[in-house]
Amino acid sequence: MNKAIKYRLYPTKEQAEYFLKCFGCCRFVYNQALNWRIMAYNADRTHLNYNDTAYGLTALKRIYPWLKEADSIALQQSLRHLDTAFSNFFKVKGSGYPKYKSRKHNRRSYTTINQNGTVAIIEGKGIKLPKAGIVKSHIHRIPEPGWNIKSTTISMDSDGKFYASVLYEYESNVIPAAIIDNAIGLDYKSNGLYMDSNGNSHTGHKYYRAGQAKLAKAQRRLKNKSIGSSNYKKQQLKIFKIHRHISNQRLDDLHKTSTEIANRYDVVCVESLNMRAMSNKGFGNGKATMDNGYGMFLNMLQYKLNDRGKYFVKVDKWYPSTQTCCSCGCTHKLGLNERIFNCGCGLTIDRDLNAAINIRNEGLKLLYEQYQNVG
Ligand SMILES: [Zn+2]
């Protein structure tokens, strides 16, 4: 995993001059290499690339010895960026031919890679950079143990302030216990939205049923009007407005509920939806599914959790959350109308609650495996 932290730099006059020199040299090698590529292509349709050492940094340094004063790793990075610009041009539709970098219009920055401590945070002092030494900085955020510096980008804004954006890399194969304790599983319900693994059932808002009754009444009235008449059209408009009102209320409710869950929990586990799973659960009725807007609800949850740096875990649709005992793990066939799950192990539990607990446990297992693979 990566994390970038931007620090303000307070360079000495010499260090500031050095940064400006690096910005200029990086731009220069980029433009020079681009020039060579264009010439080679025009001469005999040759495509040069980063690995053509005859046109690499060493060759450039031989011709322009003053390049040696700049950060060598940053110059290499600049050439790599040109390579990326070319491969994007060839592979990614819509990306243009690489352009020369102008002094005026390009961001003043250079990126250097940390090679065995060439970039380091010196607590209480600042940031150590190649050739610049320690540059004074306010280290407002000290890296945590296990965070390794991957690279840093030095930049200057239009006011002449300098910054270092330090990219940290860290391995994480342990999910903090606090996160696991704050996990929840949601089981889809046809008559409401979900049952959660703590036994709370979300049944939709109280106005919903009233809206449905109103709609049914208005639709009955429509049948008594002659098709195409002005009364018929008026009634159609009325029905449309009731529909819109219900769906707005529904949307408000989905937003409110998903925000509450995303604020309260660190991990939310759900079942991935598919039509088959729904019909298996007896929800072949398209109307009920649409009214519930469960798919929309899951999308909201996903982006709200992502925004908060939390976890949204989808459990495979084939996972038998309803048939598995959340206590002993054995499986039983359960009829559609059986509301209570009775297990030989002695567990008696609400069918949906059992499923929600299983979804949470399975989701946590998946999250754990994912972490292990990262580390
Ligand atoms: Zn059991």
Side-chain angles (χ1 to χ4, degrees):
M1 287 188 159
N2 292 328
K3 185 169 186 65
I5 297 176
K6 199 173 177 179
Y7 301 99
R8 171 87 188 269
L9 296 176
Y10 303 93
T12 62
K13 195 165 163 269
E14 288 75 25
Q15 286 171 330
E17 275 167 13
Y18 167 74
F19 290 154
L20 293 176
K21 191 181 283 173
C22 288
F23 299 156
C25 288
C26 283
R27 194 181 61 237
F28 180 83
V29 297
Y30 186 97
N31 287 343
Q32 208 56 38
L34 175 57
N35 199 22
W36 279 355
R37 289 205 190 204
I38 293 169
M39 287 196 295
Y41 184 74
N42 289 342
D44 52 11
R45 299 287 179 261
T46 305
H47 289 295
L48 296 181
N49 69 50
Y50 183 78
N51 298 316
D52 291 306
T53 46
Y55 302 93
L57 188 57
T58 312
L60 279 165
K61 276 184 178 169
R62 208 172 295 133
I63 306 168
Y64 309 102
W66 42 268
L67 287 175
K68 288 175 191 159
E69 292 170 32
D71 181 335
S72 182
I73 301 163
L75 298 178
Q76 286 289 6
Q77 278 307 108
S78 194
L79 293 177
R80 268 183 214 277
H81 287 159
L82 178 65
D83 240 42
T84 310
F86 267 101
S87 48
N88 285 345
F89 169 65
F90 290 122
K91 282 181 214 153
V92 184
K93 223 181 149 186
S95 46
Y97 192 83
K99 290 193 190 90
Y100 290 104
K101 286 188 189 292
S102 87
R103 191 190 298 265
K104 271 187 183 169
H105 299 299
N106 283 94
R107 189 168 165 252
R108 293 172 182 225
S109 70
Y110 75 88
T111 299
T112 188
I113 309 289
N114 178 29
Q115 293 183 338
N116 298 316
T118 52
V119 179
I121 300 288
I122 313 294
E123 265 189 73
K125 287 186 175 172
I127 301 175
K128 185 182 143 204
L129 293 168
K131 287 186 179 164
I134 296 168
V135 183
K136 200 181 145 197
S137 171
H138 172 55
I139 307 299
H140 62 278
R141 176 94 194 260
I142 292 161
E144 284 169 30
W147 288 19
N148 298 310
I149 296 175
K150 199 174 172 188
S151 66
T152 183
T153 298
I154 309 302
S155 63
M156 189 181 86
D157 70 8
S158 51
D159 297 334
K161 289 185 198 127
F162 289 93
Y163 298 90
S165 178
V166 179
L167 186 67
Y168 296 99
E169 204 177 25
Y170 57 95
E171 285 188 356
S172 54
N173 49 8
V174 185
I175 316 172
I179 288 181
I180 294 174
D181 287 345
N182 204 15
I184 198 168
L186 306 179
D187 181 48
Y188 180 79
K189 273 171 80 107
S190 65
N191 55 346
L193 203 55
Y194 61 80
M195 164 75 90
D196 76 22
S197 52
N198 295 332
N200 304 309
S201 161
H202 185 87
T203 49
H205 58 76
K206 54 187 172 177
Y207 310 107
Y208 185 62
R209 232 163 261 160
Q212 288 294 341
K214 218 170 157 188
L215 187 64
K217 199 172 157 194
Q219 271 163 341
R220 274 198 306 276
R221 278 198 185 149
L222 185 69
K223 282 186 187 155
N224 300 329
K225 319 261 182 244
S226 54
I227 296 172
S229 70
S230 69
N231 278 340
Y232 185 88
K233 282 175 189 160
K234 258 189 216 161
Q235 191 62 22
Q236 268 188 322
L237 187 64
K238 227 179 227 174
I239 290 171
F240 168 73
K241 281 180 178 169
I242 297 169
H243 265 299
R244 194 174 53 188
H245 184 69
I246 291 173
S247 84
N248 284 343
Q249 279 188 325
R250 194 73 197 142
L251 198 64
D252 282 351
D253 182 54
L254 295 181
H255 268 300
K256 209 175 128 251
T257 310
S258 55
T259 301
E260 275 169 14
I261 293 176
N263 285 340
R264 184 160 165 201
Y265 297 98
D266 291 323
V267 183
V268 179
C269 310
V270 303
E271 259 180 323
S272 61
L273 274 188
N274 76 337
M275 291 324 284
R276 170 109 182 241
M278 284 195 204
S279 62
N280 276 348
K281 286 187 165 188
F283 309 138
N285 182 344
K287 184 176 162 286
T289 309
M290 245 163 41
D291 287 347
N292 277 322
Y294 195 65
M296 200 192 285
F297 176 67
L298 294 188
N299 286 338
M300 287 176 183
L301 264 180
Q302 183 162 23
Y303 80 74
K304 287 174 186 181
L305 287 160
N306 284 345
D307 282 354
R308 290 161 174 78
K310 295 175 169 187
Y311 302 91
F312 179 78
V313 188
K314 276 185 178 172
V315 171
D316 191 276
K317 61 199 175 214
W318 305 117
Y319 174 73
S321 58
T322 305
Q323 282 91 24
T324 307
C325 169
C326 69
S327 177
C328 73
C330 66
T331 54
H332 306 267
K333 264 262 180 270
L334 204 63
L336 267 178
N337 296 322
E338 286 179 61
R339 301 307 314 160
I340 301 295
F341 187 97
N342 278 309
C343 184
C345 73
L347 182 76
T348 298
I349 189 172
D350 177 88
R351 169 202 182 98
D352 296 331
L353 178 57
N354 177 58
I357 293 170
N358 282 328
I359 289 166
R360 182 194 63 197
N361 294 345
E362 181 68 10
L364 284 174
K365 203 177 110 199
L366 291 173
L367 190 64
Y368 187 71
E369 284 168 5
Q370 203 180 312
Y371 259 77
Q372 298 253 300
N373 289 337
V374 170

